[in-house]
Amino acid sequence: MRVALLSDIHSNLAALDAVVAAAKEDGATAWWHLGDVVGYGPDPDAVIERLGELGASGVMGNHDAAAAGVIDTSDFNPLAAEAALWTAAEISTPSRDYLAALPLQQVDGAFTRVHGSLRDPIWEYLRTEKAVRAHFALQETAFSIVGHTHFPLVIVEQPGRPVDARVPDEGKAVKLGPARACVNPGCVGQPRDGDPRACYAILDTEALTVLFRRVPYDIAATQEKMRTAGLPEPLISRLSVGR
Ligand code: ZN
């Protein structure tokens, strides 16, 4: 099965549609998202609708939890909080129900999915050796897939040695196993690695490969909708630079 891995879509419909079209060309037949479906961007209901059409399954991110009223925005930075409150006021009741029902983690065969980390599913960033080790200690499957940092990354466990964390090359398939690993496909709707193009990855569950992709999308269209919605200017301008 070829599964498209989509993380941190952040209500960016133009980015999602570009990714979906490209992933279909890559032969994707299943769709897993890693949370933060909403927040920051202008199209929360349309993005949730699209995921429904695709039959996507996924987990809850911190922005999803805030928009659904599962958590408050006290732990958000001011701009993220403003966007989260906008989203909470904007979304339909079915969208709110969808977000509130997202699980904190999901297991499909050899793959565990979580937004942040297994220790702290919606908040923890896997950015330090310590955090990654705590995550691997709780990982009961061979592989895990995460989002939240907005950076594509492959982390391989090396017993007795520091983990091996690598930024994957675009367009190149990474072979998984036999060591346990954690994969972040990067961010669909608000990349932060200096490249504004949308990220996704294609997981081949039989070959155990992950192919990392970048696709351009109509950034100006999303920015225009954000301006119309009155979303904070720094969230609009950062899309152009991928920061
Ligand atoms: Zn995010």
Side-chain angles (χ1 to χ4, degrees):
M1 181 168 69
R2 286 172 81 77
V3 186
L5 306 179
L6 315 174
S7 194
D8 297 271
I9 300 164
H10 281 300
S11 301
N12 190 336
L13 184 65
L16 176 61
D17 280 346
V19 160
V20 167
K24 282 182 175 169
E25 283 183 25
D26 289 327
T29 55
W31 308 81
W32 292 353
H33 77 73
L34 286 310
D36 278 7
V37 168
V38 301
Y40 296 132
D43 297 307
D45 284 337
V47 161
I48 290 167
E49 209 169 290
R50 190 70 88 248
L51 291 176
E53 290 161 9
L54 292 167
S57 67
V59 292
M60 181 183 282
N62 50 313
H63 284 263
D64 306 319
V70 174
I71 59 170
D72 66 29
T73 57
S74 55
D75 288 329
F76 281 70
N77 72 53
L79 292 175
E82 191 177 336
L85 293 172
W86 179 88
T87 304
E90 176 74 14
I91 54 174
S92 67
T93 301
S95 291
R96 187 169 297 110
D97 293 346
Y98 168 84
L99 296 171
L102 289 171
L104 292 177
Q105 57 171 283
Q106 272 181 335
V107 176
D108 281 88
F111 302 92
T112 301
R113 288 178 278 160
V114 67
H115 181 63
S117 77
L118 290 168
R119 181 165 71 170
D120 186 353
I122 65 169
W123 278 115
E124 187 171 38
Y125 293 94
L126 288 181
R127 281 183 182 146
T128 64
E129 177 83 23
K130 203 176 157 199
V132 170
R133 282 190 183 280
H135 173 82
F136 276 134
L138 295 167
Q139 183 177 310
E140 291 176 352
T141 56
F143 310 111
S144 59
I145 308 166
V146 302
H148 194 38
T149 62
H150 296 209
F151 278 78
L153 196 67
V154 178
I155 308 170
V156 177
E157 191 180 37
Q158 307 189 108
R161 284 192 290 150
V163 297
D164 180 55
R166 284 182 199 198
V167 178
D169 290 330
E170 179 185 347
K172 211 167 144 189
V174 174
K175 176 81 178 147
L176 299 178
R180 300 200 310 159
C182 172
V183 170
N184 188 322
C187 170
V188 173
Q190 193 203 73
R192 293 178 188 164
D193 60 353
D195 183 340
R197 294 175 300 161
C199 298
Y200 69 99
I202 299 288
L203 166 68
D204 186 316
T205 57
E206 280 90 44
L208 291 179
T209 56
V210 187
L211 177 64
F212 289 84
R213 294 286 206 197
R214 296 302 284 246
V215 281
Y217 73 94
D218 192 345
I219 295 172
T222 294
Q223 290 174 318
E224 192 51 45
K225 285 190 204 170
M226 289 173 78
R227 268 188 203 103
T228 304
L231 285 158
E233 185 58 38
L235 298 180
I236 298 171
S237 54
R238 72 186 300 177
L239 295 180
S240 303
V241 289
R243 290 285 181 199

